[in-house]
Amino acid sequence: MSGSVFYKMSQMETEYTVGDALFSKKEIDDRTRELAGQIVRDVRGEELLVVGILSGAVFFLTDLVRCLPRELDVKIDFMSVSSYGDATTSSGTVRILKDLGSDIAGRNVLVVEDIIDTGLTLSYLLKILKARHPKSLRTCVLLDKSARRETAVDVDYCGFNAPDVFVVGYGLDCGGRYRHLPDIHVVNL
Ligand code: PRP
């Protein structure tokens, strides 16, 4: 792979390299513009509260909202949830580490995630948010690893279907690293 940059983590139990880009920043940007267009059509000029789930979704959210027109009343907020750990032993319960700063009752809420895998995180979050009686509650996910789904979740806007491979970059991490890479890369284990 000429021109590729390789990263190595020798302190990890499994040594790995970050390989080729699976989705380039250009592909992400193009798809993000399309998703923003769909969102604008669906929200029909009403206020939109865009909720990002920390930390991975920050990159996607900030690019997505900048594709929304200035006429639209767009607000942003963030939530942070604890990881549920090993999905095979999980009950699907996640703990809220940082809650929203405002009430969502009667508002159009769009939850933005970088990736959906088992679906446990988003499914639990949606249950919590639904109970707060938003006017509408939609989901926008950049990557969907649908092959790994353990619970059904409605994804209203999906960037890309992703294969069942470990990915990093554009917010996605491995042990906290590589979130800053502009493209999304496959990790070669
Ligand atoms: C990732 C992602 C979702 C969750 C999806 O978060 O941002 O929140 O995993 O997985 P699931 O569908 O199997 O529940 P992570 O816990 O890695 O935290 P991060 O966003 O801070 O990287």
Side-chain angles (χ1 to χ4, degrees):
M1 279 171 300
S2 63
S4 294
V5 179
F6 284 81
Y7 298 81
K8 223 169 223 184
M9 291 268 295
S10 53
Q11 63 268 49
M12 299 274 292
E13 245 175 68
T14 310
E15 198 172 276
Y16 65 91
T17 53
V18 175
D20 281 336
L22 181 63
F23 300 107
S24 69
K25 182 64 165 64
K26 163 87 172 66
E27 288 173 302
I28 295 168
D29 286 346
D30 290 347
R31 187 69 187 121
T32 300
R33 265 190 298 275
E34 290 175 0
L35 293 175
Q38 291 173 25
I39 291 164
V40 170
R41 280 193 291 280
D42 292 348
V43 79
R44 295 165 182 269
E46 296 185 1
E47 186 221 19
L48 180 67
L49 177 66
V50 183
V51 173
I53 310 305
L54 298 171
S55 301
V58 167
F59 296 74
F60 178 42
L61 180 144
T62 54
D63 281 342
L64 181 70
V65 295
R66 281 178 289 183
C67 293
L68 298 173
R70 74 162 70 174
E71 297 74 30
L72 200 63
D73 182 1
V74 178
K75 315 250 172 45
I76 65 171
D77 204 342
F78 294 93
M79 283 181 90
S80 177
V81 296
S82 65
S83 171
Y84 50 79
D86 179 1
T88 56
T89 59
S90 166
S91 61
T93 299
V94 295
R95 207 156 44 87
I96 297 178
L97 302 177
K98 181 219 170 296
D99 207 338
L100 295 173
S102 57
D103 189 3
I104 62 168
R107 302 172 74 186
N108 297 299
V109 176
L110 178 70
V111 178
V112 173
E113 269 283 28
D114 51 350
I115 190 164
I116 179 168
D117 193 317
T118 63
L120 296 172
T121 307
L122 199 48
S123 156
Y124 187 74
L125 268 170
L126 291 175
K127 225 178 281 171
I128 292 173
L129 295 177
K130 247 177 222 160
R132 299 180 185 180
H133 308 293
K135 178 175 181 184
S136 68
L137 182 58
R138 294 191 177 95
T139 53
C140 181
V141 171
L142 180 61
L143 295 186
D144 185 351
K145 269 194 194 176
S146 52
R148 287 181 44 88
R149 197 77 86 255
E150 293 181 16
T151 185
V153 183
D154 286 335
V155 175
D156 297 284
Y157 311 98
C158 170
F160 303 101
N161 288 310
D164 186 11
V165 291
F166 203 117
V167 284
V168 294
Y170 197 66
L172 297 152
D173 73 306
C174 182
R177 298 185 68 172
Y178 307 120
R179 292 193 198 274
H180 64 295
L181 304 184
D183 305 320
I184 293 174
H185 297 255
V186 175
V187 170
N188 300 315
L189 294 168

